[in-house]
Amino acid sequence: MSTRGGFVRLTLLVSAALFALLLLLNALHRSDQLVPTRGAAAAQKATPPPVQDVVEPIDEALVRQLEQELPEVDYGLWYRVAKPLAYKVNSSCAAYPDPLDLHLHNIYWQTFLNANVTFQLYAAYLDQRTAVKHRTVRILATANQIGDAFPATHCQLWYEGHREPIFVKVNEFLSVWVKNWGHQPQLSYPHLLGCPVPEDLPPNIYDSLPRTVSLVVERCHKATNSLRVHFELPKQRPSSTISTTNGHGSNVANATAPLSFGVCLKGFDFPYVDLSERLIEWFELQRLLGATRVYAYMYDVHPSVQRVLDYYQRTGYLELRPLTLANGMPRLRHYQHMLLQQRRLVKRLNELIPYNDCFYRNMYRHDYLLNVDVDEVIMPLGAQRTWQDVVERAHQLELAKGGKCAGRFTSLCIINAYFTRVVPEAHNHEEQEAGELYVLQHTLRHRNHSLPGRATKCFHNTRYSLTLHNHFTLKWLTGACNPRTVNTTVAQMQHYREPDKKYELADLVEDRSAWRYAEALRAAVEQVWLHLDDVQGQTSDAEEQSALEEALVEEHETDLEQQQQQQMMLHPPVPVARK
């Protein structure tokens, strides 16, 4: 092979190699343009979000957060005063309890042990009503016994501006349950404990109010519990009196200002049933009849019901408080609901806590407080259109017969009337529309009212009542007259549920008492729905309505339970002497 031929062949080989290299590089370049697109997207998707630091609250912000978590603990007093000033008697006696040392039973309860008695403490209140001779700090609690003597217990009353506690002994252990109604070992029975405030206070706190209270076995013990003392006077509420005494010594009705009525509801436990439509109707009817404000407690509710409760809270018409069980059961939605449905005695004992807490938190705001359920309505009858009319008429009747108790009844109780699920045929009155309000559709009630004291509900006089059951006042202060049952020509308690005993249609009569409020009630309910975000939450399905009825019925006592409670009415309690 010539040199020229070899050179040509070498040139061709080099050129082919370069061409192949260029093709390879071009292919790689095109691959780089395609693959990185997917890789970049994947890389972008996998990129973690920027770090967002949550600022840890300090100082005053921390105090506010802590008091929201544990509302009965006065963190403000501890942080601003008791801690920096070292509140205590001395290094070995009665140091102010550090919040981190409290024996928390669960969110709303604190544990106090004394000998063989276990107390669960819920809340404390200052009682300085006129009928109470000496100011008293009252503690709403439960104890694992009922009917037995309690060990000696001391109260440490703490004041702002005074480094040492004021020591007093608990002088009252009032049961808020009657042992004969039922008792079992290891259950928690509600009690109201009394700590009398001494009259000979140090000069620097003579006109002050106790801020917190702790229970201890011995005076100098360091407490492992601490409750803020509630004393909430209304802002410039005019005094209301229903009767005065004239120069001849007789009582004369004389309402100087409209009476104020508060309505208390026990803990809501409706996690699966949407009763929002019925609830709005009930809230607005209470307002029309005279309710100033509603106070409710909550275990758990359906999301649509929560939306309704949020609305009424925003308007200021409702105060809502979450609630846990005194026995310390975990706050688990399904477990808690099952327990409340299947452990009836536990349920009955626990519901007395919100009734009495509602009374003591709000007794200075209202003249009367009423414990009812959401299927119950205290309905004025005859010439009476409001609860104010009912109370005034009850006192007028007392005066007319020469009685001396006008204005001093510890409670005015309204007799029960069952309104059934049966809907009457429309005749000679407004057509019963499918979307009509429940109380306007259901106008058939049992001809005969329940016996006095049976399933009754009462207006509790805030000047005299001491402990409350859901059906009547258990104990009251000296100076009050016994509870009085209001005549059914004046008012009745309309109970929208089926009675426990079977009945015939002939036993029913039509009662259209609620129709006096029909126009105003429809307008009020419609206004609420317009302000809610989603009107689709209304319950209209027949199966849902049936479930709602069953859920409401489950809330009530059986005939046996009511008979047990009626024993109390046959042997009414003796008024508690002024302490």
Side-chain angles (χ1 to χ4, degrees):
M1 180 182 296
S2 63
T3 304
R4 181 185 177 104
F7 178 77
V8 171
R9 293 182 63 184
L10 178 62
T11 301
L12 291 174
L13 289 173
V14 171
S15 299
L18 289 174
F19 182 74
L21 180 61
L22 288 174
L23 290 176
L24 178 61
L25 291 176
N26 184 56
L28 291 174
H29 178 68
R30 293 182 62 186
S31 177
D32 289 342
Q33 289 180 331
L34 295 175
V35 175
T37 302
R38 296 193 301 270
Q44 183 177 3
K45 184 176 181 180
T47 301
V51 176
Q52 296 181 356
D53 293 326
V54 177
V55 178
E56 181 177 353
I58 58 174
D59 300 333
E60 292 301 318
L62 179 60
V63 170
R64 290 193 297 270
Q65 294 289 343
L66 291 172
E67 291 189 336
Q68 288 179 5
E69 289 183 345
L70 294 173
E72 298 309 315
V73 178
D74 194 337
Y75 281 98
L77 179 66
W78 171 75
Y79 180 79
R80 302 185 190 99
V81 182
K83 181 181 179 181
L85 297 181
Y87 270 29
K88 59 187 174 184
V89 175
N90 55 50
S91 59
S92 61
C93 182
Y96 190 91
D98 188 317
L100 296 180
D101 295 331
L102 300 180
H103 289 178
L104 301 178
H105 188 51
N106 58 35
I107 300 175
Y108 306 109
W109 299 84
Q110 299 177 41
T111 301
F112 167 59
L113 302 177
N114 190 352
N116 62 335
V117 181
T118 300
F119 294 93
Q120 305 298 346
L121 313 180
Y122 184 74
Y125 327 87
L126 180 63
D127 188 351
Q128 61 175 30
R129 291 174 289 175
T130 303
V132 179
K133 186 175 182 181
H134 299 293
R135 289 189 299 176
T136 300
V137 172
R138 304 194 186 278
I139 299 174
L140 185 59
T142 67
N144 62 338
Q145 67 174 38
I146 183 171
D148 299 325
F150 285 92
T153 306
H154 294 81
C155 308
Q156 296 175 349
L157 303 177
W158 296 91
Y159 290 76
E160 186 172 0
H162 193 70
R163 293 180 56 188
E164 299 181 8
I166 303 300
F167 299 106
V168 295
K169 290 188 68 174
V170 175
N171 68 340
E172 288 179 322
F173 295 89
L174 301 177
S175 174
V176 194
W177 182 255
V178 177
K179 189 174 182 178
N180 290 339
W181 292 348
H183 66 282
Q184 298 175 8
Q186 304 306 316
L187 289 186
S188 297
Y189 298 90
H191 286 77
L192 191 67
L193 282 58
C195 304
V197 179
E199 294 185 348
D200 55 341
L201 292 171
N204 63 319
I205 58 170
Y206 184 80
D207 295 322
S208 301
L209 302 177
R211 284 284 299 270
T212 65
V213 60
S214 298
L215 294 183
V216 291
V217 177
E218 300 293 342
R219 289 162 52 105
C220 280
H221 283 182
K222 182 178 180 180
T224 56
N225 59 84
S226 179
L227 297 171
R228 68 169 69 245
V229 178
H230 292 279
F231 181 72
E232 301 167 4
L233 289 175
K235 295 181 180 179
Q236 300 180 342
R237 188 174 81 82
S239 60
S240 303
T241 58
I242 197 66
S243 66
T244 57
T245 303
N246 63 16
H248 302 287
S250 60
N251 291 323
V252 179
N254 179 28
T256 59
L259 295 173
S260 178
F261 295 88
V263 179
C264 301
L265 289 170
K266 62 188 178 186
F268 279 128
D269 179 47
F270 299 108
Y272 312 121
V273 181
D274 180 6
L275 50 72
S276 54
E277 186 175 8
R278 288 278 300 275
L279 195 59
I280 292 173
E281 180 182 329
W282 183 88
F283 270 115
E284 295 306 317
L285 186 53
Q286 303 302 300
R287 195 199 305 266
L288 289 173
L289 296 174
T292 307
R293 184 172 291 177
V294 177
Y295 306 94
Y297 296 75
M298 186 178 71
Y299 291 115
D300 196 10
V301 295
H302 188 281
S304 295
V305 173
Q306 184 65 62
R307 180 169 55 91
V308 172
L309 298 177
D310 291 342
Y311 164 79
Y312 280 109
Q313 285 190 96
R314 290 195 302 270
T315 65
Y317 182 47
L318 169 68
E319 286 190 14
L320 184 66
R321 294 184 179 279
L323 187 64
T324 55
L325 296 171
N327 286 39
M329 288 76 171
R331 194 176 185 179
L332 304 174
R333 184 178 198 182
H334 308 291
Y335 177 85
Q336 181 175 260
H337 177 72
M338 182 174 65
L339 186 143
L340 289 170
Q341 293 301 313
Q342 298 187 16
R343 297 291 185 266
R344 306 298 284 183
L345 182 55
V346 171
K347 175 183 173 64
R348 299 299 171 212
L349 292 171
N350 276 272
E351 70 185 19
L352 294 177
I353 295 298
Y355 284 142
N356 285 272
D357 179 69
C358 179
F359 180 86
Y360 277 97
R361 285 183 193 270
N362 305 297
M363 62 182 177
Y364 300 112
R365 296 179 177 178
H366 304 283
D367 299 289
Y368 291 90
L369 284 162
L370 171 65
N371 296 336
V372 291
D373 296 328
V374 294
D375 62 348
E376 298 171 339
V377 177
I378 301 297
M379 183 63 66
L381 299 177
Q384 288 68 233
R385 291 188 62 89
T386 66
W387 293 341
Q388 170 109 9
D389 297 337
V390 171
V391 172
E392 289 181 353
R393 182 58 178 160
H395 289 281
Q396 290 169 4
L397 293 174
E398 172 72 3
L399 294 172
K401 69 176 186 179
K404 299 181 179 180
C405 285
R408 295 191 299 114
F409 295 119
T410 190
S411 57
L412 292 168
C413 299
I414 315 300
I415 292 178
N416 177 74
Y418 287 112
F419 279 67
T420 73
R421 298 186 194 179
V422 180
V423 178
E425 295 182 2
H427 56 87
N428 299 325
H429 55 68
E430 296 87 344
E431 188 70 22
Q432 297 288 352
E433 301 176 4
E436 186 58 274
L437 300 179
Y438 188 91
V439 297
L440 301 182
Q441 287 191 59
H442 295 78
T443 57
L444 290 182
R445 69 164 171 84
H446 272 246
R447 186 184 307 275
N448 298 323
H449 291 76
S450 300
L451 296 174
R454 184 76 172 273
T456 187
K457 292 298 171 76
C458 307
F459 295 110
H460 302 282
N461 192 328
T462 56
R463 291 186 294 160
Y464 297 110
S465 298
L466 189 58
T467 60
L468 307 182
H469 186 265
N470 57 332
H471 288 299
F472 37 78
T473 308
L474 281 175
K475 297 181 179 67
W476 52 89
L477 298 168
T478 300
C481 294
N482 288 359
R484 178 62 53 88
T485 298
V486 176
N487 192 283
T488 52
T489 62
V490 178
Q492 65 187 10
M493 205 278 286
Q494 300 192 177
H495 202 165
Y496 292 89
R497 59 156 289 192
E498 293 292 326
D500 296 313
K501 295 182 179 180
K502 293 183 179 180
Y503 62 91
E504 303 293 335
L505 290 179
D507 299 327
L508 305 180
V509 296
E510 186 165 18
D511 186 333
R512 293 171 54 79
S513 305
W515 274 83
R516 295 192 294 176
Y517 310 93
E519 184 177 352
L521 182 58
R522 289 194 196 102
V525 170
E526 181 65 22
Q527 189 70 13
V528 174
W529 281 117
L530 290 174
H531 283 80
L532 290 174
D533 296 332
D534 179 17
V535 297
Q536 299 302 318
Q538 300 187 37
T539 302
S540 57
D541 183 80
E543 292 184 0
E544 292 183 12
Q545 286 286 2
S546 178
L548 170 58
E549 295 290 346
E550 292 176 1
L552 290 174
V553 168
E554 288 176 351
E555 288 294 295
H556 297 282
E557 296 92 342
T558 63
D559 273 346
L560 176 59
E561 289 171 316
Q562 292 183 7
Q563 290 170 9
Q564 292 172 340
Q565 293 164 7
Q566 196 174 10
Q567 294 177 6
M568 190 65 183
M569 301 305 294
L570 297 175
H571 305 283
V574 178
V576 176
R578 287 196 267 185
K579 296 290 184 179

